[in-house]
Amino acid sequence: MSVNVPENIVPLDNILPEEPLLMMGAGPVPIPSRVAAANSIVINHLGDTLARVIEQVKSMTHYVFQTRSPHVLGVAGPGSAAMEMAIVNLVMPGDVVLSVCNGFFSGRLAEMAERNEAKVVRYNVPDREFARADEVERLLEEHRPRVLTIAQGETSNTVYNRELPAICRAASAHGCLVIVDAVCTLSTMPLEMDEWGIDAIITGGQKGLSSIPGVSLIAFSERAWEIAGDTDRHMRHWVLDARLADQFWYKKSYHYTAPVSGILAMHEALRLICHETLPLRFQRHYRHSIALQRAVEVMGLSLYVPEEARLNSVVGIRVPDGVQSKDVLAYMSKRYRVEISGSFGAPIVRIGQMGEQSRAHNLFRTVHALGSSIKAQGKKVDVPAGVAMLEKTLEKFAYGDV
Ligand SMILES: *Cc1c(COP(=O)(O)O)cnc(C)c1O
């Protein structure tokens, strides 16, 4: 043996903080205790028990995606693996792909298509604006793409593509497949796979669903499955081959060892969503996000994106001039044990409102921590006004008067 046991290895307890940070950033998000408990179990990846769990995961995914498609697959991997699975199974070398690019994640879909040798046309949406359906229509006419990619919500700069349904309709009318990244929005706001005519939906575990990172979901429409499921098609990828994944998800046979614990966790996350029901879940997310936004503004801070294009599941807040966002984040974690996110370039910090983040008690703690931490950098911030506005807005919603 030439490599020795490493020295200075300490138990996890010596590394993890005694009190974990409250995870209020752009993901991963806190998970319910039932999800955590499910994630601690390992079972046979091919037995009857997991088969029953998988059946339920698929049924519940039908509800959460609002689809009847018999092509729902799980992926062992991050949201990006599900993105890549959509791309490699639907985009052939030489295909024209129209990528609606609002920022970092929607840009990643374009990059993936490019790596797959597609001719990618980018619709670079101006900063802090949503993608316009009429512009997409024009680009569809001009370039005749086979596939369109878009994110419902762009987590990196907190923009919401509110015209997604019209964009999907326009694409369908041009015989163009639509891939929608719903990683940060799924189960926080309406998304209708069948009704809107979406051909592939992608989501990760660690955001809207409030499960663990590393196990993701994807669904293909019938129209998309004619391509993805085509047995004659040459496919360079093995792990991400949808036809092989179908063997496991629909035919109980072996593809690769499924991430059993993560699938059990996903099951519990989906079950909690079904229990809450989507309409109530959407209302909860909307109510809490609006209350957060009003509280931030009344404290004297400003929101990054104008209301018409603003994402509710991740809220971008401008850092006042002369203040560094990294100092705010560091102060918040150290002093208040609340963690939020910085950004990919824009002068903002981001607060998530996804799944378990969207709870009143978490909001009070976060608004107070944010306000106090910016104040500690020497800026004028009216923290009590923010907390009062949060309380007032939540109460008004409770009485249906906003
Ligand atoms: C987080 C996120 C992703 C990437 O998910 P990973 O699990 O980090 O790969 C993709 N798209 C959007 C919109 C996201 O918010």
Side-chain angles (χ1 to χ4, degrees), residues 316-335:
I317 300 155
R318 277 188 194 277
V319 181
D321 287 342
V323 173
Q324 297 286 323
S325 64
K326 68 174 181 9
D327 296 336
V328 177
L329 302 187
Y331 195 92
M332 274 181 86
S333 338
K334 195 159 181 283
R335 178 78 199 264

Side-chain angles (χ1 to χ4, degrees), residues 17-18 117 148 153 159 166 221 247 254 259 328 354 398:
E18 208 149 288
E117 293 165 46
L148 179 148
V159 164
S221 69
Q247 292 294 314
Y254 175 64
V328 177
M354 299 178 282

Side-chain angles (χ1 to χ4, degrees), residues 378-400:
K379 292 289 161 181
K380 210 169 143 266
V381 181
D382 192 344
V383 183
V387 175
M389 177 57 85
L390 194 53
E391 145 85 6
K392 199 170 117 194
T393 313
L394 291 174
E395 186 153 291
K396 271 189 176 172
F397 267 111
Y399 293 103

Side-chain angles (χ1 to χ4, degrees), residues 293-340:
Q293 292 167 32
R294 290 190 183 168
V296 163
E297 287 184 309
V298 81
M299 285 198 295
L301 301 170
S302 58
L303 299 167
Y304 183 59
V305 176
E307 194 172 357
E308 52 166 20
R310 190 181 302 151
L311 184 60
N312 286 334
S313 57
V314 185
V315 177
I317 300 155
R318 277 188 194 277
V319 181
D321 287 342
V323 173
Q324 297 286 323
S325 64
K326 68 174 181 9
D327 296 336
V328 177
L329 302 187
Y331 195 92
M332 274 181 86
S333 338
K334 195 159 181 283
R335 178 78 199 264
Y336 298 103
R337 310 214 60 74
V338 176
E339 184 166 284
I340 64 170

Side-chain angles (χ1 to χ4, degrees), residues 78-80 83 105 108 153 155 181 183-184 206-207:
S80 301
M83 291 161 84
F105 291 110
R108 185 179 288 179
T155 320
D181 174 340
V183 178
C184 78
Q206 76 275 23
K207 300 195 188 171

Side-chain angles (χ1 to χ4, degrees), residues 190-201:
L191 180 71
E192 302 263 350
M193 179 166 177
D194 289 358
E195 185 78 22
W196 297 357
I198 297 170
D199 295 290
I201 293 191

Side-chain angles (χ1 to χ4, degrees), residues 129-206:
E129 289 181 21
F130 60 84
R132 313 281 157 162
D134 52 8
E135 179 61 8
V136 170
E137 180 92 51
R138 197 185 66 70
L139 292 164
L140 287 165
E141 282 291 334
E142 187 184 337
H143 298 284
R144 306 267 155 196
R146 277 209 42 246
V147 175
L148 179 148
T149 65
I150 185 168
Q152 184 179 28
E154 174 54 65
T155 320
S156 62
N157 54 12
T158 67
V159 164
Y160 168 47
N161 280 321
R162 63 168 57 254
E163 294 192 347
L164 179 60
I167 289 171
C168 294
R169 269 198 303 279
S172 292
H174 285 79
C176 171
L177 297 174
V178 181
I179 298 175
V180 175
D181 174 340
V183 178
C184 78
T185 47
L186 191 78
S187 90
T188 74
M189 62 180 69
L191 180 71
E192 302 263 350
M193 179 166 177
D194 289 358
E195 185 78 22
W196 297 357
I198 297 170
D199 295 290
I201 293 191
I202 299 149
T203 200
Q206 76 275 23

